Amino acid sequence: MEELSFAEYLRKEMGLDDYQISKMQELLASFEQTEDMSAATDGVEICPKCGTAHPKVVRSGFAGSGKQMFRCASFGRRFTYDSGRLTWYSHQNADQWKTLMLDTFSGQSLRSTSGRIGVNVETAFNMRHRLMCVLEKVLDDEVLSGKVELDETYVDSSRKGVGCGRDAGFGTVVQKVKRGLSRQKVCILSAVDKDGNAFARAYNCGTPSQDNAMELACHLADDSSVTTDDTVAYERLLESNGCFHRVCQDCRDHKAEVNLNRISSFHSMIKDFYRGYRGVATKYINRYAAVFSFIWKFRKLKDGDLHGKIKAMVDKSGFAIRTGVVQTYRLFTPQDIEWVVAS
């Protein structure tokens, strides 16, 4: 027997009309919001407005967006139930944010996501980048340990969203190229461990230097067993962290005792998503690198469990960013990228 949706069940089995069904759905949505509010305000350790420890809070009207507000009894400051969280200053409901999260992790386009949640593309862009900024912030504290594989991958630099010559006349925009690996390639340093954790971030274009590799020092536990392809850029990093260094002699020998299979699979996943997006703007590359890291970490979860993990991680971070600054927050701007207008 075919399973009926909730609305079809109310219509066919209970005989409710469209108006009654809509009211029932609104009532259930309000119950879900009440549960979110209770979870957000129970055991509040610090008031997000006045900083009072363990404040007593009471309901205090609604914000212009329709969200329930609470008042801190200590100094009378008011705040919404999601103050300081991802959905802060957002008019979209929980279902829209859930769809956006799942679409982001499945590689859906912004146009597709905007149609599914009923907003324009610009709003979907701001929602996705607010989420990615939080994920990038969470990744700042990621530390890999045990058996770690370390390697770099490259993606094409892109000015997606910026027309050629728009900011310097109408000529064709080209890039200066030096000897060696092309500066049009963005280098993404990445690492994965045996427990399924991953870290990826871009620090430069072209060949990585030892200074670039040292940026990974805080993300690599001391005394880890690290496998690389013997790139000299990682020598100082591994020595400073006291890591046991294993070298993969032939990256094509996947059955060898010492191999880079995990990191190669991670890189393949990055390339697949990058192709699906038709490239991403280089200035936002580290936001997408954070998404790739968490996609790898949660790759075995189903949609329901995946959304729960993302939401719990985002809420726990205690970090939120407003739409007004999302386009300028922590942009990737390496000094060796020099865009010029062709003569």
Side-chain angles (χ1 to χ4, degrees):
M1 182 178 178
E2 185 179 355
E3 185 177 355
L4 298 177
S5 67
F6 180 65
E8 291 173 341
Y9 174 80
L10 294 179
R11 182 179 293 106
K12 293 182 178 180
E13 301 297 330
M14 300 187 65
L16 301 184
D17 58 29
D18 291 341
Y19 176 77
Q20 292 170 321
I21 292 173
S22 65
K23 287 298 182 183
M24 179 69 74
Q25 291 174 330
E26 289 177 5
L27 182 62
L28 290 176
S30 67
F31 286 155
E32 292 178 357
Q33 185 184 35
T34 300
E35 292 179 358
D36 287 343
M37 288 188 294
S38 298
T41 55
D42 285 346
V44 175
E45 297 183 359
I46 302 293
C47 172
K49 288 292 186 179
C50 62
T52 302
H54 304 290
K56 179 181 179 181
V57 297
V58 295
R59 293 175 184 265
S60 181
F62 294 88
S65 61
K67 295 180 180 179
Q68 177 70 55
M69 297 199 71
F70 294 87
R71 186 182 299 277
C72 173
S74 299
F75 289 91
R77 301 294 299 275
R78 297 201 308 163
F79 59 91
T80 58
Y81 75 93
D82 60 349
S83 182
R85 299 191 177 196
L86 175 65
T87 57
W88 193 30
Y89 287 103
S90 172
H91 292 271
Q92 285 68 46
N93 58 38
D95 286 338
Q96 290 172 302
W97 275 102
K98 178 179 179 180
T99 300
L100 178 120
M101 289 180 183
L102 296 178
D103 280 5
T104 299
F105 273 65
S106 62
Q108 298 295 321
S109 68
L110 282 174
R111 190 173 300 279
S112 172
T113 300
S114 65
R116 294 181 64 185
I117 64 179
V119 299
N120 60 40
V121 175
E122 183 178 357
T123 300
F125 172 90
N126 289 328
M127 292 173 67
R128 174 174 289 183
H129 279 258
R130 287 178 66 178
L131 171 63
M132 292 195 298
C133 286
V134 176
L135 295 179
E136 185 182 357
K137 183 70 174 179
V138 172
L139 201 65
D140 287 345
D141 299 324
E142 187 74 20
V143 178
L144 280 66
S145 60
K147 293 184 177 180
V148 181
E149 295 178 15
L150 186 61
D151 198 9
E152 69 278 354
T153 188
Y154 299 90
V155 295
D156 292 330
S157 62
S158 171
R159 303 193 79 202
K160 194 174 182 179
V162 179
C164 292
R166 186 172 299 176
D167 49 342
F170 296 93
T172 302
V173 178
V174 298
Q175 194 177 33
K176 290 182 179 179
V177 179
K178 300 178 183 178
R179 293 185 61 185
L181 188 65
S182 173
R183 297 293 179 179
Q184 294 182 5
K185 295 288 186 179
V186 179
C187 176
I188 301 178
L189 297 180
S190 51
V192 297
D193 64 19
K194 191 175 181 180
D195 296 329
N197 301 310
F199 178 84
R201 189 168 182 85
Y203 299 101
N204 75 310
C205 291
T207 306
S209 66
Q210 293 199 18
D211 290 337
N212 298 142
M214 284 301 297
E215 299 283 354
L216 300 177
C218 59
H219 301 288
L220 185 63
D222 294 343
D223 302 324
S224 298
S225 176
V226 181
T227 303
T228 72
D229 59 358
D230 203 23
T231 301
V232 296
Y234 302 120
E235 291 179 354
R236 195 201 312 169
L237 166 67
L238 300 180
E239 183 179 352
S240 66
N241 284 42
C243 298
F244 175 70
H245 188 196
R246 304 196 307 171
V247 178
C248 177
Q249 298 292 348
D250 187 356
C251 296
R252 295 170 296 182
D253 188 359
H254 301 294
K255 296 182 180 180
E257 181 180 353
V258 180
N259 57 61
L260 295 170
N261 290 350
R262 292 192 185 91
I263 194 73
S264 296
S265 297
F266 181 47
H267 290 168
S268 295
M269 186 208 72
I270 292 177
K271 297 295 180 64
D272 288 342
F273 270 80
Y274 202 80
R275 282 192 294 269
Y277 284 131
R278 304 294 193 274
V280 300
T282 297
K283 60 182 178 182
Y284 300 136
I285 189 64
N286 283 327
R287 298 180 187 179
Y288 284 94
V291 174
F292 298 148
S293 300
F294 286 110
I295 288 175
W296 178 262
K297 186 173 184 177
F298 300 142
R299 65 191 183 281
K300 296 181 180 180
L301 297 181
K302 297 182 180 179
D303 282 356
D305 297 331
L306 175 60
H307 173 254
K309 283 283 189 180
I310 301 171
K311 188 175 185 303
M313 181 176 61
V314 168
D315 290 344
K316 185 178 179 180
S317 70
F319 175 76
I321 183 169
R322 295 191 182 186
T323 300
V325 297
V326 75
Q327 295 190 21
T328 57
Y329 176 75
R330 291 181 69 172
L331 298 180
F332 175 69
T333 54
Q335 297 297 318
D336 53 1
I337 288 186
E338 299 180 27
W339 296 95
V340 298
V341 178
S343 56

